[in-house]
Amino acid sequence: MRAITGMYAFSVLIVASLAMSQPARNLQAEKRRLLQPAATIRTGAIDSIGRIEYAPQTGSYRFTWRGYDGRLVHATYVPEWTARVTLIASAERLQDGTWCYTYTLHNLSDSPHRVTVAHVTTDAQPLRAIVQKGWRFSGVVETHKGNALQFCVDPGSDPYSPLAAGQQLRLQVFSKDPPAVGICFVGTDAPLMRVPEEMPGEMEARLPLGLDGGLRGYTLSPSQRLSAESFMEHWRTAVKAGWVTDKRLVNRLTAQVERTVKALRRGDRSGAQSALAGVQQLVLQHSQKIEPEAQALLMQSLAYLARRE
């Protein structure tokens, strides 16, 4: 039977100005950063074949169908996405012109599963990666969601080191390409679904495939295709992800970003630099309301485009 194989890896350089000291604010930040289920399972009757029911007490699903001998057959599916995981990412441009991406993955103390694998979608090839002991970087792999950086527990490590509840994992990726918005997928060691006999195809089709079985969320990712034309799309995704926590500030930043991008498209370097200065001033004035991911896009990626275009 299909196991949900999720994927995951990350860690972060946390900017001091973004440190949260108030407990209430920490809770809000944690809620914003919780990775979400990458798919859903439709429940209810499936023609005359069987039924899928959700158990809110456990977060699991009960599959019931009529077996070969006419008796009812039951199986329980425990989704990987019941884990409670947060991710922070940042990017820093180094003196040699390359970027260092830092990812911090936190498996919360009340999480029911251990994290075993992570992917970050990308269209670029990294220069190298640094992972914590017990984990390994598998390079860029092909998935049904596109190419992705893959990090996973090293099966040969002693002791075997999945990310347990209450633990954090820090990973770094070095790239010649600037930050854009990618998607991370996280998988866990949720138990495999055990079935007493083959499940009808119509029911099996409702099980999530591959990366969709785990958790997902937006993050920073190296991109060799970042351009003035594509930047606004990345920025809108950043806003959707909640990387700027004040709505009025979102509007002010978006207006200034649009001015910068329009100037770049016109080839107006002077206008682009002036608009970019306005963006940077807003970031410096309101850094506590702007997550590290959004800061990287505004202070580094947009500045990179302004220099290059």
Side-chain angles (χ1 to χ4, degrees), residues 47-62:
D47 298 328
S48 59
I49 297 170
R51 186 175 184 84
I52 302 175
E53 299 170 299
Y54 176 64
Q57 300 86 352
T58 62
S60 61
Y61 292 81
R62 181 180 174 87

Side-chain angles (χ1 to χ4, degrees), residues 180-193:
V181 180
I183 302 175
C184 67
F185 294 91
V186 176
T188 73
D189 63 355
L192 300 180
M193 186 177 187

Side-chain angles (χ1 to χ4, degrees), residues 32 45 57 83 92 94 102 105 124 134 141 143 147 150 160-161 216 233 235 248 253 259 294 297 300:
R32 278 199 312 274
Q57 300 86 352
E92 178 186 10
L94 306 178
T102 306
L105 183 66
V141 300
T143 76
N147 289 342
Q150 178 177 284
Y160 184 57
S161 305
R216 74 183 293 276
E233 180 180 349
W235 175 246
R248 293 180 63 184
L253 282 169
R259 293 189 189 100
L297 289 179
Q300 300 200 44

Side-chain angles (χ1 to χ4, degrees), residues 124-300:
Q125 285 287 339
L127 299 172
R128 61 190 176 96
I130 298 176
V131 299
Q132 289 182 197
K133 183 178 180 181
W135 282 67
R136 67 180 181 183
F137 174 57
S138 305
V140 176
V141 300
E142 185 177 346
T143 76
H144 73 293
K145 297 294 185 179
N147 289 342
L149 306 168
Q150 178 177 284
F151 302 85
C152 58
V153 178
D154 184 350
S157 63
D158 186 19
Y160 184 57
S161 305
L163 186 64
Q167 294 183 339
Q168 292 190 7
L169 176 68
R170 186 174 187 269
L171 304 164
Q172 287 185 309
V173 174
F174 296 86
S175 174
K176 61 181 177 58
D177 297 301
V181 180
I183 302 175
C184 67
F185 294 91
V186 176
T188 73
D189 63 355
L192 300 180
M193 186 177 187
R194 306 293 183 185
V195 295
E197 64 179 54
E198 185 177 357
M199 180 183 294
E202 294 87 345
M203 297 192 77
E204 187 175 4
R206 294 200 180 183
L207 288 168
L209 292 170
L211 304 186
D212 290 329
L215 293 160
R216 74 183 293 276
Y218 293 109
T219 190
L220 293 177
S221 172
S223 176
Q224 61 182 353
R225 298 175 187 167
L226 187 66
S227 65
E229 287 71 24
S230 66
F231 186 85
M232 283 306 304
E233 180 180 349
H234 287 282
W235 175 246
R236 292 187 186 100
T237 303
V239 170
K240 176 183 176 182
W243 291 352
V244 180
T245 61
D246 183 275
K247 290 184 178 180
R248 293 180 63 184
L249 181 58
V250 165
N251 294 334
R252 294 177 66 188
L253 282 169
T254 299
Q256 202 67 24
V257 168
E258 287 177 339
R259 293 189 189 100
T260 308
V261 169
K262 287 178 180 178
L264 289 174
R265 289 174 175 171
R266 294 194 306 266
D268 179 2
R269 283 180 172 271
S270 176
Q273 290 294 338
S274 176
L276 175 63
V279 172
Q280 294 173 333
Q281 183 178 11
L282 284 172
V283 173
L284 293 174
Q285 289 175 341
H286 304 282
S287 61
Q288 291 190 340
K289 298 178 181 179
I290 305 173
E291 303 288 2
E293 294 88 344
Q295 290 201 32
L297 289 179
L298 297 173
M299 301 294 279
Q300 300 200 44

